[in-house]
Amino acid sequence: MKVKRPILTGTIIVLLILLIAVIVYAMRMRPTVELGVGYGAHVVCSCRYIGGRDMESCYNDYEPGMEMISMTEDEAEKRITASVPLLASRSAQFREGLGCVLEPLPGAD
C-alpha cells in the first residue's frame, strides 16, 4: 500500500508543531522546575542528614507535583542532588553548623 504524499506531509507538519509546543512548554516551565529541584534537594538533605531518616522515608516529604523530581545521594559528601532530566538539577550539601546548604547555581557569582 502506497502512502499518499499529502497525508505524509500533513503528519510531519503536525508532529513538528507538537514538538515545538513541547519545547516551548518546557522552557516556560523551567523556572518552576528549577525552584522545585532546589526545594527538593534541600528538604531531602535535611530529612536525611538532620533528621537521620533513610532516603525512602524522605520521599514521603514530597509536595504534590514533585513526583517528576528524582534524587540521588552522595553519602561520602553528604550531598543530595535533585533533578528533572534535560531541565534542571540542584544539589544541597550538609555542612556541620550550617545544616543543609544549597550549592550555588552555575554562573552565579
Side-chain angles (χ1 to χ4, degrees), residues 17-29 87:
I17 290 170
L18 286 173
L19 178 63
I20 290 169
V22 166
I23 291 169
V24 168
Y25 178 76
M27 292 298 103
R28 290 188 61 142
M29 290 299 297
L87 286 180

Side-chain angles (χ1 to χ4, degrees), residues 54-97:
D54 61 32
M55 283 291 288
E56 192 63 36
S57 74
C58 292
Y59 286 112
N60 295 328
D61 295 344
Y62 270 28
E63 293 291 327
M66 291 180 61
E67 295 81 13
M68 69 176 153
I69 299 174
S70 62
M71 302 287 172
T72 56
E73 177 181 27
D74 180 347
E75 285 187 67
E77 294 291 323
K78 294 187 176 180
R79 177 182 294 122
I80 300 293
T81 301
S83 64
V84 174
L86 303 176
L87 286 180
S89 178
R90 193 86 189 264
S91 296
Q93 184 176 26
F94 176 77
R95 295 184 186 159
E96 197 63 47

Side-chain angles (χ1 to χ4, degrees), residues 41-42 44-47 49-50 92-95 98-102:
H42 187 268
V44 173
C45 178
S46 297
C47 168
Y49 297 111
I50 295 172
Q93 184 176 26
F94 176 77
R95 295 184 186 159
L98 295 176
C100 287
V101 178
L102 284 173

